[in-house]
Amino acid sequence: MNSQIIKPYGDSWGDGQVQLSFTLPLPAGPRAQEAAKRLAAQMGLDNVQVVHMKDLHGFTYFILYGSCRHSVDVSAIPELEAEEQPMDFEEINAFIQARIGRKLVVVGACTGTDAHTVGLDAIMNMKGYKGEYGLERYPMIEAVNLGSQVPNEVLLQKAVEVKADAVLVSQVVTQRDVHIQNLTQLVEMAEAEGLRPRLIMVVGGPRIDRALAAELGFDAGFGVGTTARDVAGFLAKEMARRLEGEVK
Amino acid sequence: MGNQQLTLDLEKVARARELARSIALQVQQEIDQNTTVSIERTVARLFGIDGTNANGVPLPNVVVDQVAEAGQLQRGIAYWLANGAAALGKAPQQVAEACAQGLDLCSLGVQDPNRVAEIMETYTSQALQAIKEQRRVREEAVARLGMGPRPLKYVIVASGNIFEDVKQAQSAARHGADIIAVIRTTAQSLLDYVPYGTTTEGFGGTYATQANFKLMRQALDEVSEEVGRYIQLVNYCSGLCMPEIAAMGALERLDMMLNDAMYGILFRDINMDRTFADQYFSRMINAYAGIVINTGEDNYLTTADAFEQAHTVLASNFINEQLGLQAGLRNWQLGLGHAFELDPNTPNGLLYEIAMAQTIRQIFPEAPLKYMPPTKHMTGDIFLGHVQNAMFNLVSVLTGQSIHLLGMLTEAIHTPHLSDRILSIENAQYVMDNARDLGGEISFRPDGIIQKRSAEILDQTVEFLGDIAAKGLKRAISEGWFADIKRPVAGGKGSDGVISKGLDYVNPIMEEMRRELGSNSAGKGEER
């Protein structure tokens, strides 16, 4: 067996065991159960077992197990960038001091209609999150937190006013993809005003990842579980890269 | 309920209450000096003004804005509407419609003061009768159908489309939910008007409109009959339209309202004078309508640390209690808020959560406490999240909480799927039924962790309230004493909607409600 080709692991190699749950818009019964099994089969599962079926008044909730027919060849995945050891609080400040030689100025906001500051506060507030201090606590970072429901134009005005190196945008509400329109508009406005090249633009939120951020024209995107250290480390390195790039 | 497992220093509790009262009285003196555009729009609504102009601007805004622009709002919209009604021989609604067509309310001649007073009395009496009638209908339905056992299970619907919300709410009630909250669309709190009509589009929630209130109340009345218990409806009396939403809720028989004295200042950056004045009138209307309010202290712990800042929650409970009582609310209407938000990695975290929940329970024995689930420390690990919620459910039933907001295992991921809500109700039903009378079986060791933590929180609370009383609530807020958030005293949104009352200011709705509720404090501009 080629160990580079893998399947989900339940309790023995190659069993392909997968658990899943979903709701179908059918009343519970043999018909709904059969529908769930057929659906799971089309998802690539063999030996499907419906272990739980609950009637939700016209809907049915299922928990199923099955054996996945598919496998993945790990050797075919191109090398991702090496996962280097992230810097800690002290190292980041020392890095900014040494390589940039002044404070980094960062403006953060929940933009558009978004009123949820939990994510932004976790990154920016003094206190931080998960034992990691927020950006306000970094001696080498000047952090300006504009709070919630900030129009994109206000964020950019503020960035100009305080000569920001970076803007952080938090988007928690993603219903009907409102965040996509809003984030796209921000990048377009920054470009229209000629600000884009001199700003590091970062977006964070539970539905944000690196790929989406790149697609929307941001320099980085941070999702669930991010701490201030991740963001500060990125900003410091990106800023240093840009400055050193200019020198060459 | 009624268990006294903890030994509290009752003198300290009395001291805290006295300090909170003096803090609230300071604020009340300022409240009595001002009216706001939203208070005046509320009076217009209660005088029967409804609908919009050709541009979709609600008619209460049309009349109040017109009088405000003429610099005449310090007299109160009630006077101008009654004067207009006397001049034209028409009802306030028709007067407002004429304003939408260009009528200038303030340029009509001064009418016979007796006639004006009579008109104000007529429309005040009509409004108050309508509210009383809804209160009677609720009391009758509750007496006939009863309610679920406490803690009452409170769930949220938030599809953005009121017609979808109705289906989800009925489904939740059929599975055991007792209270349905329709979360408002993001940003409604900062609209300085209430949208009109039924709505099918929203972000992260559904617009609070009178038509949406009516539709949901009807749906819950239907399902209440079906499940044989009265299902309560909740919305949000917060933001720039606090008292208007209260009036709509009173007319459409909502049963609970999120209605905090400081939330808008802290979390929405709304001006302090605006918020304090608006919360007063909104709470008076809620008091009159027999609506239970829910306060928002749980939110402090989403930005500040739940262990270090526990005393700020309790202190704010005391202040909300006193401001609520001053507005005419009774103890049974004070759904004071707190939350299960300690970092799950805290050793003995469960003990500290019990200490906090039981302390608040014993200090406010008649209040229907609102207990909020973990949110800040929920992750994408839905399995762990389900266990966190189970622990929360256990503390809630153990300490006799009243209004129990169900935690969703997908809290950190998306607005709840249909199945998430059902799993959450099952979790609560299981834990609460299994531990139903556990609280009555327990007493805590006098020298134990829980008893000591309770005493520590109370000590810190008394000290904190003493500091606020010395400094003044507004300055304390401006220095970031609550939720680690600083808000300048004169800043914030909606400050341009605050107007000093004139000596001839009238608000017959407020006067009559205050008279019937027997609450104190003056309503006229200060005699200088």
Side-chain angles (χ1 to χ4, degrees):
Chain A
M1 191 188 301
N2 185 341
S3 65
Q4 289 295 88
I5 295 177
I6 59 166
K7 277 189 166 196
Y9 183 104
D11 67 353
S12 56
W13 187 262
D15 64 16
Q17 280 295 303
V18 166
Q19 64 190 19
L20 73 158
S21 64
F22 54 78
T23 303
L24 289 180
L26 283 175
R31 193 176 171 78
Q33 178 158 346
E34 183 56 26
K37 281 187 169 179
R38 289 186 180 200
L39 187 62
Q42 288 184 62
M43 292 180 189
L45 302 186
D46 290 327
N47 304 320
V48 175
Q49 290 178 61
V50 174
V51 298
H52 180 69
M53 173 170 81
K54 185 178 170 70
D55 184 50
L56 309 182
H57 292 269
F59 295 83
T60 310
Y61 178 62
F62 294 95
I63 301 177
L64 299 85
Y65 283 82
S67 175
C68 184
R69 280 194 288 277
H70 307 293
S71 58
V72 61
D73 184 354
V74 186
S75 65
I77 299 174
E79 262 327 282
L80 295 176
E81 60 188 85
E83 288 173 22
E84 51 186 308
Q85 195 65 23
M87 294 188 286
D88 68 15
F89 179 80
E90 299 294 341
E91 288 165 349
I92 292 169
N93 283 306
F95 181 93
I96 298 173
Q97 182 91 56
R99 301 278 288 272
I100 300 165
R102 62 167 175 81
K103 285 188 177 190
L104 272 183
V105 182
V106 182
V107 182
C110 298
T111 54
T113 57
D114 204 334
H116 298 77
T117 59
V118 180
L120 185 69
D121 289 336
I123 303 301
M124 298 202 75
N125 272 8
M126 198 65 89
K127 174 97 200 156
Y129 173 67
K130 283 209 286 196
E132 290 290 340
Y133 294 141
L135 300 184
E136 287 176 357
R137 191 84 155 236
Y138 283 70
M140 290 308 293
I141 292 179
E142 177 81 42
V144 183
N145 184 345
L146 298 182
S148 69
Q149 301 185 334
V150 178
N152 283 328
E153 47 271 51
V154 172
L155 172 60
L156 292 178
Q157 271 165 20
K158 192 74 187 176
V160 171
E161 183 190 319
V162 301
K163 299 192 173 67
D165 298 303
V167 295
L168 303 186
V169 183
S170 171
Q171 294 279 280
V172 173
V173 171
T174 55
Q175 218 173 27
R176 291 167 217 282
D177 287 338
V178 62
H179 62 306
I180 306 276
Q181 305 157 22
N182 192 36
L183 292 169
T184 308
Q185 189 205 34
L186 177 65
V187 173
E188 283 170 358
M189 286 173 66
E191 277 168 358
E193 293 177 34
L195 296 168
R196 185 68 192 87
R198 55 189 169 101
L199 278 179
I200 303 174
M201 296 183 72
V202 175
V203 56
R207 301 282 278 276
I208 305 293
D209 59 26
R210 205 188 294 189
L212 176 65
E215 191 185 320
L216 296 175
F218 283 77
D219 296 303
F222 292 95
V224 171
T226 301
T227 63
R229 186 169 122 176
D230 304 323
V231 177
F234 168 78
L235 292 176
K237 287 196 173 162
E238 176 65 15
M239 192 67 200
R241 192 187 64 77
R242 290 185 180 199
L243 287 175
E244 282 149 24
E246 278 170 21
V247 175
K248 283 174 203 166
Chain B
M1 284 269 299
N3 295 319
Q4 300 290 316
Q5 297 112 327
L6 286 168
T7 308
L8 295 180
D9 184 335
L10 296 180
E11 276 178 31
K12 283 184 185 159
V13 174
R15 172 83 185 128
R17 207 162 247 129
E18 192 44 49
L19 286 166
R21 199 174 120 77
S22 79
I23 292 164
L25 284 172
Q26 282 175 26
V27 174
Q28 191 66 42
Q29 282 181 1
E30 297 184 27
I31 290 171
D32 293 335
Q33 305 304 313
N34 296 326
T35 185
T36 69
V37 287
S38 35
I39 289 174
E40 298 307 317
R41 293 196 301 258
T42 306
V43 173
R45 277 180 189 276
L46 289 171
F47 272 20
I49 294 179
D50 198 11
T52 66
N53 71 8
N55 297 323
V57 178
L59 290 181
N61 287 68
V62 169
V63 292
V64 168
D65 289 352
Q66 188 191 87
V67 174
E69 276 158 28
Q72 297 297 329
L73 203 55
Q74 78 286 350
R75 193 157 187 183
I77 197 68
Y79 167 77
W80 292 109
L81 288 172
N83 191 68
L88 303 177
K90 289 180 173 169
Q93 170 68 14
Q94 292 163 303
V95 173
E97 285 166 7
C99 289
Q101 301 292 331
L103 171 72
D104 180 0
L105 206 50
C106 298
S107 69
L108 293 170
V110 176
Q111 303 296 305
D112 170 18
N114 290 328
R115 178 71 190 130
V116 171
E118 201 180 300
I119 291 171
M120 288 198 292
E121 199 184 315
T122 302
Y123 287 96
T124 297
S125 162
Q126 273 182 18
L128 269 49
Q129 279 307 321
I131 295 173
K132 273 188 206 156
E133 174 57 17
Q134 285 290 32
R135 185 170 177 163
R136 191 195 62 74
V137 171
R138 180 194 305 113
E139 284 165 0
E140 184 277 323
V142 172
R144 188 165 52 82
L145 296 168
M147 290 202 264
R150 288 185 173 196
L152 294 167
K153 290 181 281 298
Y154 174 129
V155 302
I156 283 166
V157 293
S159 77
N161 179 336
I162 190 64
F163 300 99
E164 286 299 321
D165 288 347
V166 159
K167 287 184 217 161
Q168 301 207 1
Q170 289 188 328
S171 160
R174 288 183 185 118
H175 284 94
D178 301 303
I179 304 172
I180 305 292
V182 182
I183 284 249
R184 285 200 307 189
T185 182
T186 300
Q188 183 169 359
S189 55
L190 297 183
L191 297 181
D192 215 337
Y193 63 92
V194 179
Y196 182 78
T198 55
T199 64
T200 55
E201 286 285 322
F203 297 113
T206 305
Y207 282 103
T209 71
Q210 194 163 345
N212 287 349
F213 284 6
K214 188 188 285 285
L215 213 60
M216 185 58 93
R217 186 60 263 174
Q218 275 170 2
L220 294 185
D221 281 346
E222 276 170 38
V223 81
S224 294
E225 296 294 334
E226 183 187 322
V227 300
R229 59 182 199 287
Y230 185 76
I231 307 297
Q232 302 189 65
L233 176 59
V234 188
N235 212 286
Y236 295 73
C237 237
S238 57
L240 288 171
C241 295
M242 240 187 213
E244 282 183 278
I245 304 255
M248 288 159 39
L251 293 171
E252 300 301 339
R253 190 163 35 87
L254 270 73
D255 307 287
M256 284 186 191
M257 283 286 186
L258 278 282
N259 191 205
D260 191 273
M262 295 189 279
Y263 177 84
I265 302 168
L266 294 170
F267 293 91
R268 293 291 179 266
D269 194 16
I270 295 174
N271 175 263
M272 290 192 195
D273 289 326
R274 174 75 179 258
T275 299
F276 284 130
D278 282 353
Q279 66 85 31
Y280 176 64
F281 192 34
S282 67
R283 285 173 165 196
M284 183 174 280
I285 295 166
N286 287 329
Y288 194 84
I291 286 172
V292 169
I293 67 157
N294 291 185
T295 64
E297 285 86 351
D298 44 281
N299 292 285
Y300 300 174
L301 305 180
T302 60
T303 52
D305 183 81
F307 190 84
E308 289 167 19
Q309 300 296 318
H311 65 284
T312 66
V313 169
L314 180 54
S316 177
N317 288 151
F318 276 114
I319 295 170
N320 257 317
E321 177 190 50
Q322 293 304 319
L323 285 168
L325 293 173
Q326 275 172 22
L329 289 162
R330 303 290 188 262
N331 282 310
W332 66 266
Q333 291 174 294
L334 296 170
L336 301 172
H338 63 119
F340 185 99
E341 284 282 20
L342 284 171
D343 186 333
N345 295 315
T346 311
N348 286 321
L350 181 72
L351 281 65
Y352 299 130
E353 295 287 11
I354 291 170
M356 181 68 174
Q358 182 64 28
T359 301
I360 296 179
R361 177 69 284 166
Q362 286 183 220
I363 289 176
F364 306 99
E366 293 170 52
L369 301 179
K370 180 195 71 164
Y371 198 28
M372 296 290 284
T375 58
K376 185 181 183 180
H377 297 285
M378 293 292 277
T379 63
D381 183 350
I382 56 173
F383 302 102
L384 179 63
H386 211 44
V387 178
Q388 287 170 263
N389 285 329
M391 297 278 262
F392 160 68
N393 293 334
L394 179 65
V395 174
S396 185
V397 70
L398 172 69
T399 59
Q401 304 299 313
S402 312
I403 300 165
H404 180 88
L405 205 127
L406 289 177
M408 296 291 147
L409 72 169
T410 51
E411 168 69 33
I413 307 171
H414 50 231
T415 51
H417 288 172
L418 185 71
S419 59
D420 297 340
R421 214 175 277 116
I422 307 303
L423 288 169
S424 164
I425 294 170
E426 279 182 348
N427 180 344
Q429 266 167 347
Y430 161 62
V431 173
M432 290 180 183
D433 287 346
N434 259 262
R436 182 63 65 195
D437 295 318
L438 182 60
E441 298 285 315
I442 286 180
S443 59
F444 298 119
R445 294 173 60 117
D447 59 344
I449 295 171
I450 292 175
Q451 180 66 54
K452 281 187 186 157
R453 173 65 180 159
S454 168
E456 178 185 52
I457 295 168
L458 183 56
D459 285 348
Q460 290 172 342
T461 301
V462 173
E463 190 182 334
F464 185 57
L465 285 168
D467 291 346
I468 297 168
K471 185 173 281 280
L473 183 58
K474 288 163 118 185
R475 276 187 58 203
I477 294 171
S478 74
E479 292 178 16
W481 289 18
F482 293 97
D484 287 350
I485 296 172
K486 293 178 187 172
R487 296 299 184 197
V489 170
K493 304 176 178 94
S495 57
D496 52 355
V498 180
I499 298 109
S500 283
K501 289 179 188 172
L503 289 175
D504 51 1
Y505 177 76
V506 283
N507 184 339
I509 304 261
M510 194 186 278
E511 282 164 32
E512 182 55 22
M513 283 185 174
R514 186 186 291 127
R515 195 183 65 74
E516 291 186 37
L517 291 164
S519 58
N520 44 23
S521 98
K524 297 261 180 186
E526 194 179 20
E527 303 274 352
R528 287 197 178 88

